[in-house]
Structures are given as structure tokens and as C-alpha cells.
Amino acid sequence: MEDHIEWVLEMTIQDGMYDGVQPLIDEMVAATQANEPGALVYDYHLTEDKTRCTVLERYADNDAAMLHLQNFGAHFAERFLATFAPERFTVYGPSDDALRGALSGFGATFATRIGGFCRM
């Protein structure tokens, strides 16, 4: 767990884009699960009023997170950003300079673990 990188990305669904949310998420989840063994958690949540979406992600390490970002950029970024407007993006864990650089463009803030445990 000490190497895990996690993030929480809170987004608003762009006007008129709700119908595209589920197909896009289904495709992204399937691709991530099939092609990224270092993706440990990849979990989307929709508010009851269907206007906001949050994704919780956990990766084994910086390399796994970077692989996800590369795949995201190559296959999904354009449709994702047409569908969602990111509002808050917090990254947790020992992110290295490459990951910080890749995520800073999305307005990410970074937090380093200072204590705790996980019983997963």
C-alpha cells in the first residue's frame, strides 16, 4: 500500500451529454480492467440528480498510474472531456515528478500519506 497512488476526480456532466455517460464509462472500465493489471480500483459514482460524477481510482504504483494515463490519452481523453467538466481532482500517495507533471494539467492537487492503514 505504501506505493499505491489513488485519486478522486469530481466532475460535472456537460450540458446535453448525459446519454453518453454510461457507454463511455462502460468502455473505459472494460479497457482498464482488461489492459491494466496495476489498476486496483476504478470506480465511478453518479449523483441522484444525474448531474455530477465522481471516479475513485487506485493504482499499484506510479508506473501503473502512468500506463493508465497513456491509455486514457490515446483512447478516451477527447470524449471524456467532452462529456465531463472536472471540478476537483485530488491525488493521494507518493506521486513522482512524471506523474505530477502528467496530472497537473488537469488541475490536480497532491497529498502525501502521513499515517493510517487499509484492511483490504
Side-chain angles (χ1 to χ4, degrees):
M1 185 170 141
E2 290 180 13
D3 291 336
H4 288 183
I5 301 296
E6 301 174 271
W7 60 70
V8 177
L9 175 57
E10 298 175 45
M11 308 165 288
T12 299
I13 298 171
Q14 303 275 17
D15 289 340
M17 297 304 291
Y18 176 74
D19 289 342
V21 169
Q22 194 65 57
L24 176 59
I25 289 172
D26 290 346
E27 187 178 346
M28 291 176 64
V29 168
T32 300
Q33 190 169 26
N35 301 314
E36 299 177 26
L40 306 176
V41 174
Y42 194 65
D43 206 14
Y44 282 82
H45 299 267
L46 183 66
T47 59
E48 288 181 0
D49 67 2
K50 300 178 181 178
T51 62
R52 297 177 48 76
C53 189
T54 299
V55 60
L56 311 172
E57 302 182 38
R58 178 183 289 176
Y59 298 92
D61 54 26
N62 281 277
D63 291 340
M66 287 299 291
L67 175 61
H68 177 72
L69 292 175
Q70 291 166 358
N71 290 336
F72 171 80
H75 304 286
F76 301 108
E78 187 174 322
R79 286 186 290 157
F80 186 90
L81 294 172
T83 304
F84 299 108
E87 290 187 353
R88 187 183 325 182
F89 189 11
T90 306
V91 180
Y92 304 92
S95 52
D96 63 18
D97 289 342
L99 184 61
R100 285 174 177 259
L103 295 176
S104 291
F106 291 98
T109 59
F110 300 88
T112 301
R113 183 174 175 266
I114 60 171
F117 65 91
C118 180
R119 288 192 171 145
M120 293 174 70

